[in-house]
Each structure stands twice: as C-alpha cells, then as structure tokens.
Amino acid sequence: MSKTTINTLHKIKQNQEKFSVVTAYDATFAGLASTSGIDVLLVGDSLGMVLQGKDSTVPVTMEEMCYHTQAVKNGNQGSLLMVDMPFMSYATPEQAMANAAELMQAGAEILKLEGGAWLVDTVEMLSERGVPVCAHLGLTPQYVHKFGGYKVQGKEQAAAEQMLADAKAMEAAGADLILLECVPSELAKTLTESINIPVIGIGAGSDTTGQVLVCYDMLGMNSGHVPKFVKNFLIDGRNIQQAFAAFDQEVKSGDFPGPEHGFKA
C-alpha cells in the first residue's frame, strides 16, 4: 500500500471523500490495522484508560507515549502515525518544543494537542519547525476535571461560536488537521465546511472528513458503558483484520456513523 501523508488527507478533503482513523498502542494492532485500509493510526493517551485501567488520560507520561509510539511505528505498514501529547506536556511553547522533538524522534508523524485559541503560539512554533499538528476541540479528555465529567460540548450557541473561532484560529496558526470529539452533528458539519483543513470526528456526526474510534471499542472489547458513538465491527464471523477493513469501508461509503451515533444541540 502507498504511504498516507498529510497531503493524502488534504486531497481527500478536496475531493469530498472520507478517511479512517483508529487508535493503536502496539506493533501487532498497528500491523493489522494498517494493512486493512486504515489511513491513520492514533497512539492515543487513551492508553491510560484502555491499557492501564486508569480513570482518565491525565496520568499518562511522556515516557509511556514514546514507548508506545515506537511500538506502533515498528508494526505500521504505511498509515500516517499520529500521536497524542500527554497532559501538561505542552503547557508552554518551550515545553511543547522539547516534548514534540521526543515524540517525533520516537516515530510520530503528526502530534495531537487538546485546546483552543490559547494554543495559537504553540501551533505556530511547531508548524514553523516542521512538526505537523492536529488540534483537538470539543470534549478534550485531558480537561475532564475542568468539565466535571465526559460531556457533549458546543451545545449552547456561545460555545458553538467559540469552537468555530478556535478551529479557524488553529487553521490560521498552521494546524494540519482538526479533531472534534462529542459535539452536535450539525455544529461539526458547519465547522467542517468552514475551514480548508480536514476534520476528524468521534461522536461528531457523519459530515466530518475522517472518523476515529478506539480500537478496543470498535472490536467490542469494552467493559461497562459503551459510548453512543461506538459500533462493534467484530461481528458476523469477522476476524480482527476484517473488522478494521469493515470500519474503513463503512466510513468511506458514508454508512458509519449513522444518525444514531451522533448528538443534537
């Protein structure tokens, strides 16, 4: 398969097509996903919850993110490799520069940061220095204690307008992608149409350019609460590789997510 790059994703956006994203934390899952058509692998700080059993992503360290980035890189077969910068690893632009260097040297090809317009200077500095950036807006899990839980964001008009402004500010600062988590589907549609860079959604309706799910969620390997935006693709006798391929195909055909996977304002 050909290598997926930032340019690949921008062409997909220009052509009004779709791309697929799943999380990966090790070489085995990276190999299975990347050879099944998945365009982007995300080494998420969600590993704190799904691998380590913690109750949030906040405790995840830079050392852990670098370790899992290296593992995923070793198994990846051509997908774009996106990596989360963990909690407080980019509180200042200077701190972001040093930690971004570590993650890129571990194998990251684009870094994801949570936050809005306050990140403009950091995004500008990273972009100028050759570090691609995905800006994560909406429900930003590192803010769970500030939000008072995992709640849909952007329901009120003022919050929706702020999110649109933040997305435009991130694009202007040089961000290459936006990720929207748990926002009303109509807001995600408006935002996707308002900027030129691709938008990845999770719980953000069907009108974003890309869709992402946590690999364990889409394989039905979650215990307890199953988020509304999740669909189990490991059904009907499929193996794991076929499940990844089915997710990829349903994203690209527009069959996933359906209306039942989204939120209203």
Side-chain angles (χ1 to χ4, degrees):
M1 61 178 286
S2 59
K3 171 66 182 165
T4 301
T5 67
I6 296 291
N7 288 343
T8 310
L9 304 186
H10 281 251
K11 286 176 184 173
I12 289 171
K13 163 97 175 184
Q14 290 164 11
N15 295 335
Q16 297 185 311
E17 296 170 346
K18 307 280 187 181
F19 64 87
S20 57
V21 188
V22 297
T23 64
Y25 314 101
D26 61 43
T28 300
F29 270 78
L32 290 169
S34 61
T35 55
S36 302
I38 301 298
D39 299 292
V40 182
L41 299 180
L42 169 61
V43 184
D45 58 1
S46 49
L47 67 87
M49 301 172 79
V50 299
L51 291 187
Q52 299 173 337
K54 294 169 180 170
D55 60 4
S56 79
T57 64
V58 171
V60 177
T61 66
M62 271 292 299
E63 183 180 8
E64 289 166 344
M65 292 305 301
C66 286
Y67 171 86
H68 287 280
T69 297
Q70 290 169 341
V72 171
K73 180 182 186 297
N74 291 341
N76 182 24
Q77 300 295 317
S79 300
L80 182 69
L81 183 50
M82 179 157 64
V83 178
D84 278 340
M85 295 196 73
F87 181 69
M88 281 294 170
S89 66
Y90 50 99
T92 66
E94 295 72 24
Q95 194 180 21
M97 296 305 112
N99 288 322
E102 276 196 59
L103 289 169
M104 295 294 285
Q105 289 170 340
E109 295 169 330
I110 178 169
L111 301 180
K112 182 162 72 64
L113 289 67
E114 298 182 12
W118 69 270
L119 276 172
V120 162
D121 290 346
T122 298
V123 172
E124 283 180 348
M125 289 179 70
L126 288 169
S127 184
E128 286 169 355
R129 287 155 180 78
V131 178
V133 172
C134 175
H136 185 153
L137 303 174
L139 172 56
T140 44
Q142 292 175 11
Y143 288 65
V144 59
H145 300 304
K146 183 74 172 175
F147 288 158
Y150 297 99
K151 302 175 181 178
V152 178
Q153 302 295 309
K155 282 190 167 187
E156 301 79 19
Q157 185 173 350
E161 289 174 356
Q162 183 62 57
M163 203 178 300
L164 284 167
D166 285 345
K168 291 175 180 177
M170 291 293 96
E171 180 181 24
D176 300 276
L177 302 173
I178 300 286
L179 188 144
L180 293 179
E181 181 170 355
C182 291
V183 303
S185 300
E186 196 59 40
L187 171 58
K189 181 177 189 292
T190 300
L191 191 151
T192 301
E193 293 170 349
S194 299
I195 59 177
N196 294 315
I197 58 177
V199 177
I200 301 167
I202 179 167
S206 60
D207 293 296
T208 56
T209 323
Q211 296 289 336
V212 59
L213 285 177
V214 170
C215 60
Y216 297 126
D217 285 348
M218 58 157 294
L219 297 173
M221 296 167 66
N222 40 13
S223 57
H225 172 69
V226 178
K228 180 180 182 180
F229 51 78
V230 167
K231 177 178 177 178
N232 181 1
F233 288 86
L234 191 63
I235 53 173
D236 300 329
R238 293 173 182 153
N239 61 33
I240 289 175
Q241 197 158 25
Q242 290 166 338
F244 282 131
F247 170 69
D248 176 69
Q249 290 160 8
E250 289 196 24
V251 167
K252 289 172 181 172
S253 68
D255 292 332
F256 177 82
E260 69 275 17
H261 300 114
F263 300 98
K264 294 182 178 178

